[in-house]
Amino acid sequence: MRDWFTLNAQVLYWLLVAPFRGVPVRLGPVFEQMVRIGVQAVPMTALTSLSIGITLAMQGAHELTRMGAASFVPDLVAMTILRELGPLLVGVVVIGRSGSAVTAELGTMKVSEEIEALEVMAIDPMRYLVLPRFVAMLVMLPALTVFGNYIGMAGGWAICHFSLDMETASYIRRLVESSHPMDLYSGMVKSVVFAWLIITISCVYGLGVKGGAEGVGRATTNSVVVSILTMLIADACLTAIFFFGES
Amino acid sequence: MKKLGDPLIALSVVACSVVLLLALTFALQGNPFDRPSRTLRAEFPDITGIQQSSLVKYSGAIAGNVHSIRMLTPEERNASPHPENTVEIILAINNNVPALNEGLTASVASDTLLSDKFVLIAGGDPKAAALANNAVIGSITPVTFDAILRDLAGAMAKLREIFGSAQGGALDGIMPKVEKLLGDLNTTVTQAQGLIGNGNGLIQNANTMVDSGDGLIDNAGQLVASGRSLIDTNKNAIDKMIAQLSAAADSLDDLAQRTNKLVKDNEGNVSSSLKDAKVTLSELKAAAISARVLADSLRARPQQLLWGPGHPPKPTSN
């Protein structure tokens, strides 16, 4: 936990303070990490969101049709994806694909003493290794969430249109009317928080690897498990803040 | 190449996501550059289901959203003409909504039982003055299912009180009356049973009559069927007869026309012949009278055949 706070403090320093002291963020590695963490995860994110949208609509249609309320399927899909499943599932995908890769990459560098070599050369590993990944994750996870939201709602449309004979215009109208801006904003805030948790936990576990290749594997597993658990707990807390704070 | 490719791809993806995010925001929140400039206030005793950014509809059309919700203080409630109101909501009215006039009322409504609640404003006299910004409009207390249940619970409590007070002593005086009432009710029920028995007899007679009528209708049906069968069997002969009758009628008509023509053609001759016949008849009459006179004269004096008539008598008019 102390390592996590230390890493956060150092990252925030390099991100918010150092640029005003003549040490800017290195954009080249940031873009490189954005492609690796975000762009290359688009197909997997799209497939996951599409599946979830279709599944949600099918489950909702199955139950709501029995009550003669099939027209509420778009409401269910929109609310669930925008508020919860959009950011959550994209986060899980990114944890499994990119978070674990970050931990393994940093862990391997640690056990091969590359990080010590950087420190010997007076290069701060936080600025050189962690900061680009941090910025890339903070930008790309919300972006992936936006894509995931659209694709998930498209999956819901597929079921409503082809199975429930709902007009596309009706689907979009219900989708828009039933959703509040707060649903979207809360999902986007969650995705930013998830990104911050995922990348910091992944980096902490990667930089804390001990014991060679076995340690890298163990750190990667722990990183994924802790990231998912932390993300779920944070999700519950944020939901309570956004939707149960006033009641 | 790789150094140029990564930023380009990353920035493209980020730009696309930003555009999509803005589009979604625009769809859900409306045009961010067209913020409502007018507000209205309404006070309610209960706004269950209404929250910030809930829709505001004017006669069913979307006209804005709920800007904020505020609890009224005890001082404000005491100063208000409607102290039962506890919550004030501020309604942000869209710029495309025309000027709203006095007389508006606000209520909490929903499209269906499962739909989200919204604030419905309606009414307004077009001849009245336009409402000022942030004006207070009247409100109608929503009749919710919960409110009905609460009222029902109150009514049940009062009923329970009435029955509870009836149990304590007052019931003793009521019981004989209830027994008498039950006796009268028994008599009435007995009479009603007799009436029902008579009614049953009447219904049975009616059933018998209906059965007879059914037989009659069956016979009539059979007769009609027989007649239809007869007509079907002799249809050709009847058709032939009708055709012959028609031809005979034509012939009679032709004969009548010819007779009429003949009469018309010979009308002049007949008339002259009749005139001649009339003259002839007059002459024959005169001859007959003369013959009668002669016969009378001969009967009186047969010797006239030998000696002449002498002075013949004058003929009479008979």
Side-chain angles (χ1 to χ4, degrees):
Chain A
M1 185 63 82
R2 194 183 62 184
D3 293 341
W4 184 75
F5 281 112
T6 306
L7 182 135
N8 274 291
Q10 290 180 335
V11 166
L12 289 176
Y13 168 80
W14 286 110
L15 183 65
L16 302 176
V17 180
F20 297 101
R21 294 185 175 179
V23 188
V25 178
R26 298 166 59 241
L27 291 178
V30 169
F31 287 129
E32 186 183 340
Q33 291 298 324
M34 283 170 72
V35 172
R36 291 175 62 185
I37 291 173
V39 177
Q40 292 177 359
V42 167
M44 192 183 290
T45 305
L47 193 61
T48 306
S49 299
L50 185 70
S51 303
I52 288 300
I54 289 173
T55 308
L56 260 179
M58 285 194 293
Q59 293 282 11
H62 181 259
E63 291 301 318
L64 291 172
T65 304
R66 289 165 54 189
M67 295 184 286
S71 60
F72 289 95
V73 173
D75 304 39
L76 174 74
V77 171
M79 193 185 72
T80 312
I81 287 183
L82 288 179
R83 285 187 182 183
E84 288 298 331
L85 290 185
L88 204 63
L89 285 173
V90 171
V92 170
V93 167
V94 169
I95 285 172
R97 189 192 170 280
S98 306
S100 59
V102 167
T103 304
E105 190 178 359
L106 293 180
T108 306
M109 292 172 77
K110 180 72 185 298
V111 297
S112 62
E113 297 180 347
E114 289 180 38
I115 292 176
E116 281 81 356
L118 286 173
E119 288 173 342
V120 167
M121 288 187 286
I123 296 173
D124 193 320
M126 287 294 161
R127 177 173 179 250
Y128 193 78
L129 297 175
V130 175
L131 188 62
R133 289 169 174 79
F134 181 85
V135 175
M137 182 68 86
L138 238 56
V139 173
M140 292 312 290
L141 190 60
L144 287 174
T145 303
V146 173
F147 284 120
N149 287 343
Y150 270 91
I151 294 168
M153 290 189 285
W157 165 83
I159 294 300
C160 288
H161 183 69
F162 294 113
S163 179
L164 303 180
D165 292 330
M166 188 180 288
E167 290 292 328
T168 304
S170 301
Y171 179 81
I172 294 173
R173 186 177 56 79
R174 280 217 67 90
L175 208 78
V176 171
E177 283 185 357
S178 63
S179 305
H180 297 284
M182 190 61 190
D183 299 336
L184 175 66
Y185 300 153
S186 66
M188 298 312 297
V189 170
K190 280 181 182 180
S191 70
V192 173
V193 174
F194 294 166
W196 167 59
L197 288 173
I198 291 167
I199 195 62
T200 52
I201 289 170
S202 300
C203 290
V204 165
Y205 275 93
L207 293 174
V209 167
K210 291 174 183 172
E214 185 187 351
V216 174
R218 194 166 50 245
T220 305
T221 304
N222 290 337
S223 164
V224 170
V225 171
V226 173
S227 294
I228 289 177
L229 287 177
T230 311
M231 189 179 69
L232 291 175
I233 293 168
D235 183 44
C237 295
L238 290 172
T239 301
I241 292 170
F242 287 132
F243 299 105
F244 286 86
E246 294 180 357
S247 60
Chain B
M1 185 65 190
K2 186 172 183 296
K3 284 187 179 298
L4 284 175
D6 284 348
L8 196 63
I9 294 169
L11 288 176
S12 301
V13 170
V14 171
C16 287
S17 68
V18 169
V19 169
L20 290 173
L21 181 64
L22 288 177
L24 202 54
T25 306
F26 185 84
L28 296 182
Q29 198 177 9
N31 188 352
F33 303 106
D34 188 22
R35 289 285 173 206
S37 57
R38 287 178 294 166
T39 57
L40 294 174
R41 291 185 295 147
E43 296 175 354
F44 288 94
D46 182 4
I47 57 163
T48 304
I50 296 293
Q51 55 192 351
Q52 197 172 356
S53 82
S54 287
L55 282 178
V56 174
K57 294 187 178 182
Y58 178 45
S59 298
I62 294 174
N65 54 28
V66 174
H67 181 265
S68 61
I69 299 171
R70 186 177 71 86
M71 301 281 186
L72 293 172
T73 62
E75 292 77 19
E76 287 173 328
R77 291 180 62 187
N78 287 328
S80 168
H82 302 287
E84 70 274 12
N85 291 335
T86 55
V87 184
E88 180 188 73
I89 56 176
I90 297 176
L91 314 173
I93 306 298
N94 291 341
N95 294 329
N96 60 351
V97 176
L100 299 173
N101 302 94
E102 289 179 352
L104 281 180
T105 54
S107 61
V108 177
S110 63
D111 290 329
T112 66
L113 197 62
L114 298 175
S115 302
D116 284 345
K117 295 283 179 64
F118 58 85
V119 178
L120 176 67
I121 54 177
D125 184 1
K127 294 176 183 173
L131 284 167
N133 189 29
N134 209 27
V136 179
I137 61 175
S139 64
I140 299 172
T141 305
V143 181
T144 62
F145 189 66
D146 293 337
I148 293 170
L149 283 180
R150 280 198 294 270
D151 292 344
L152 193 62
M156 291 298 291
K158 286 182 179 176
L159 277 175
R160 202 172 291 119
E161 284 177 12
I162 291 168
F163 282 116
S165 62
Q167 284 174 351
L171 211 60
D172 297 337
I174 293 172
M175 285 310 291
K177 292 180 181 176
V178 171
E179 286 176 359
K180 184 176 180 301
L181 183 66
L182 287 175
D184 294 342
L185 194 63
N186 190 20
T187 308
T188 306
V189 168
T190 307
Q191 291 173 352
Q193 282 175 346
L195 191 65
I196 289 169
N198 294 336
N200 283 336
L202 184 67
I203 289 170
Q204 284 174 357
N205 292 335
N207 281 336
T208 308
M209 191 172 73
V210 168
D211 291 340
S212 303
D214 286 344
L216 187 66
I217 290 168
D218 289 342
N219 293 334
Q222 289 174 359
L223 186 64
V224 170
S226 302
R228 189 176 291 119
S229 172
L230 186 66
I231 290 169
D232 290 340
T233 307
N234 299 303
K235 187 179 178 184
N236 291 331
I238 292 169
D239 288 344
K240 190 177 177 183
M241 187 176 73
I242 290 170
Q244 287 174 350
L245 282 173
S246 179
D250 290 342
S251 300
L252 282 172
D253 188 43
D254 187 45
L255 181 64
Q257 285 179 354
R258 287 183 182 182
T259 306
N260 190 25
K261 186 181 178 187
L262 181 67
V263 168
K264 282 183 179 176
D265 290 345
N266 298 302
E267 191 175 2
N269 298 331
V270 171
S271 181
S272 61
S273 299
L274 286 173
K275 285 179 181 175
D276 292 343
K278 191 176 178 181
V279 172
T280 306
L281 284 174
S282 300
E283 289 174 354
L284 281 173
K285 189 177 179 182
I289 292 169
S290 298
R292 192 174 63 190
V293 171
L294 179 61
D296 291 340
S297 176
L298 284 174
R299 190 175 59 222
R301 290 191 307 159
Q303 65 272 20
Q304 287 182 28
L305 288 172
L306 296 175
W307 308 106
H311 297 288
K314 290 182 181 178
T316 63
S317 61
N318 293 330

